[in-house]
Amino acid sequence: MELANCPRCGKLFARHFRDICPSCVKVIEKEYEACAEYLRKHRGATITELSDATGVTIRQITKFIKEGRISLYNAPNMSYPCEVCGVLIREGNMCDNCRTRLSKQVRLASEGKSSDRQSDHARSESAYQINNWPKDR
Ligand SMILES: [Zn+2]
Ligand SMILES: [Zn+2]
């Protein structure tokens, strides 16, 4: 049996099927039911309204959404925060801005590397040509 500290309440528990302890599982189930219930009555609720009304943290609601337990199809105004900047989004883990910025950074980093390699290559090539040039003529 594997013992672990519950990441939610810090209590030591026997980890069987879940990553959190049984009492937290129960609490989260209750929280989920409260959210689902509220959304049944208020389909147009936003995540802040839902959090205010149920007392469930936005973080936890975001988890429900990402786990697919709360469906955004049935909640047209529901969204969750971008993992990087916190802007509200409806798909993926990041907003468009952060995604663009991140992919640009990745591209710049890889371009930086490859252009270094290229100029090294160019340098050794021109050195080779200079060394061999008199012989070739
Ligand atoms: Zn716990
Ligand atoms: Zn963002």
Side-chain angles (χ1 to χ4, degrees), residues 82-87 94-98:
C82 160
E83 276 180 8
V84 182
C85 70
V87 153
M94 270 179 245
C95 68
D96 283 346
N97 277 343
C98 291

Side-chain angles (χ1 to χ4, degrees), residues 18 24-34 64 69:
R18 311 235 190 190
C24 284
V25 169
K26 264 184 222 148
V27 172
I28 287 176
E29 280 316 299
K30 279 223 176 72
E31 288 184 345
Y32 169 70
E33 268 158 36
F64 289 145
R69 300 184 74 184

Side-chain angles (χ1 to χ4, degrees), residues 6 8-9 21 24:
C6 170
R8 196 167 183 276
C9 68
C21 75
C24 284

